[in-house]
Structures are given as structure tokens and as C-alpha cells.
Amino acid sequence: MVEGGPGEEFVSAISGHPFGPIQFTGERHPLSQVRLLSPMLPSKVVAIGKNYADHAREMGGEVPEEPLIFLKPSTSVIGHGEAIAYPVGLSRRVDYEGELAVVIGRLCRDVPAERAREVIFGYTCANDVTARDLQKKDVQFTRAKGFDTFCPLGPWIQTVLDPDDLAITTTVNGELRQSSRTSKLMHDIPALIAHVSAVMTLIPGDVILTGTPEGVGPLDVGDEVSVGIEGIGTLTNRVVSRD
């Protein structure tokens, strides 16, 4: 749990598992003096493609009638401040994609949209890093989306939040590249949970990436990319060469 105002945040330690009963230990640490890992290690990351109309257009298509789902492996997950490893020997075009991520809090399957909020633990920021040239070459998304470090999540999970109309931005080296609002999602969060859970069982800690707005673009080795979402915080990662 993070407490305090900007520049004075503290992390309060807990005992127990975040998805079960917890107790505060009384220990508090300045946020500046701790390393933030990914706030969860999901069994799977379920991502949604072309869920903002403007992004679908910039990719040369329309919003699918049903949510377009694909998977990112758990080994792609990193936390705030960790490095995105650019696979220089395999890809010449790696893009950022800032997104709102939904964290599942209960084992669930076939969840009706009207009960979707009951299975949500909270929300965090995500960057669906993509080897764009490999995505076009392969047609399907597994290799392009699945490299180690290609799913930064964080900086933490916000458990009390209305996600329906939040500002979402992505910056690269401080320059604004994406700016939109979650109210522009074509398939909203309850619809996504209903659709995904009709296909596969969701486990506590699993993550659904809700899609990225327009403005996706390339990253280079040495760049610093930040995804900020209103009411949550900012996820920042630097790009390094994997080779």
C-alpha cells in the first residue's frame, strides 16, 4: 500500500497474500528507497487488439465486432523501473502501446457482463511492447508480443477506482506520444471479462490488457517510455539492447 502525497510517498508492508486476508505489519518505507517489482506475476496476460477506433484506423482496419484476444506469456512481465530488452538481432521495429490493465481477483469462468466488477481486484498501467515488423511478418501475434520484458506492469495495483473515463498517456523521453481516455474503449471492461471468461478460466492475478489508443510508435535503445493513467500513477521503463 502506498500512502502520502507526491514526493512523500511511503510503502506500508503487509503480511498475508494480496488476494486473501492481509494485515499491516506497521513497517513503512519511503517509496524512493524501495524497488518496485511487477505488482503480480499472472498465469497469463490476455490482451485485446484494436479496441480503440482511432488505433484500429491507424493500423489499417476497423474495430472487430467481437474483442480480438491474444496472449502474452508470464515471462514477458516486468515491473516499474526494469529494462525493456530490445531484441536487436531479431527485430528492427519495437513499439510502445500504453494500456489500462485489469487485474483479476477471483477464480472465474463464464462471468456475465453485469457481474464482471465482482471478479476485479484492481487496475494498473501496462505497456504492450510489440515487435511491429515481426507482427506484420508472422500475421499472428505470439512472437511479436511474447519476448521477455515485453509486458511492463505497474507501478502498483489501484483497488479503488472507477475505470470508465480515465486519462491515459504515453511519453517517450518526456515527449507526449499517446493521449486518450478509457471512455473511448469500444468494448468496455465488463464486456471484455465476459468475452474472455467464456473462453478460458481466469485465475487470481491474471491480467487483461484493454487495448491501446492511437499514437503507437517506435522505441530505440536508450529511450525512456512512461505510461500514465489518471488515478493510478506512472509506469516507466528504459530500453536497453538485449544483444
Side-chain angles (χ1 to χ4, degrees):
M1 179 177 180
V2 178
E3 303 173 297
E8 300 178 348
E9 297 98 336
F10 284 83
V11 175
S12 296
I14 63 171
S15 62
H17 195 281
F19 298 104
I22 64 170
Q23 289 184 329
F24 289 98
T25 66
E27 295 182 29
R28 300 172 80 241
H29 307 278
L31 181 59
S32 60
Q33 296 181 21
V34 301
R35 177 187 175 193
L36 293 177
L37 303 177
S38 170
M40 80 295 296
L41 182 59
S43 76
K44 54 189 170 291
V45 177
V46 185
I48 307 298
K50 299 182 180 180
N51 201 23
Y52 287 81
D54 48 16
H55 173 60
R57 286 191 292 268
E58 78 174 344
M59 298 303 291
E62 299 296 326
V63 176
E65 290 186 11
E66 294 183 316
L68 172 64
I69 64 176
F70 58 92
L71 297 175
K72 293 173 78 82
S74 61
T75 47
S76 67
V77 173
I78 59 173
H80 171 79
E82 295 187 84
I84 298 168
Y86 195 127
V88 176
L90 293 172
S91 175
R92 296 184 179 181
R93 170 70 185 262
V94 171
D95 284 12
Y96 56 83
E97 294 189 9
E99 310 198 12
L100 173 67
V102 180
V103 181
I104 298 299
R106 291 174 50 186
L107 183 73
C108 60
R109 185 179 65 186
D110 291 327
V111 180
E114 59 271 19
R115 298 191 61 184
R117 305 286 185 183
E118 298 176 22
V119 306
I120 296 173
F121 181 73
Y123 307 89
T124 193
C125 306
N127 190 345
D128 177 19
V129 182
T130 304
R132 193 69 70 198
D133 53 346
L134 299 183
Q135 183 183 22
K136 293 179 180 179
K137 179 181 179 180
D138 294 350
V139 182
Q140 56 83 39
F141 297 173
T142 302
R143 181 164 64 142
K145 303 278 191 176
F147 284 96
D148 290 356
T149 76
F150 269 27
C151 189
L153 298 172
W156 41 67
I157 302 170
Q158 178 58 259
T159 57
V160 181
L161 185 71
D162 181 348
D164 292 340
D165 186 26
L166 303 175
I168 177 170
T169 61
T170 303
T171 64
V172 178
N173 302 323
E175 179 181 338
L176 184 65
R177 299 291 180 84
Q178 291 182 289
S179 180
S180 190
R181 303 194 69 85
T182 57
S183 55
K184 294 184 178 182
L185 287 170
M186 300 305 294
H187 303 290
D188 64 14
I189 290 170
L192 296 180
I193 291 175
H195 185 75
V196 172
S197 68
V199 177
M200 63 191 78
T201 298
L202 295 171
I203 296 170
D206 281 352
V207 171
I208 297 177
L209 307 186
T210 57
T212 194
E214 72 172 330
V216 300
L219 293 167
D220 294 314
V221 173
D223 283 346
E224 184 178 84
V225 56
S226 296
V227 177
I229 299 180
E230 180 183 4
I232 299 176
T234 302
L235 167 69
T236 299
N237 303 88
R238 187 169 292 277
V239 183
V240 302
S241 174
R242 194 184 78 166
D243 303 323

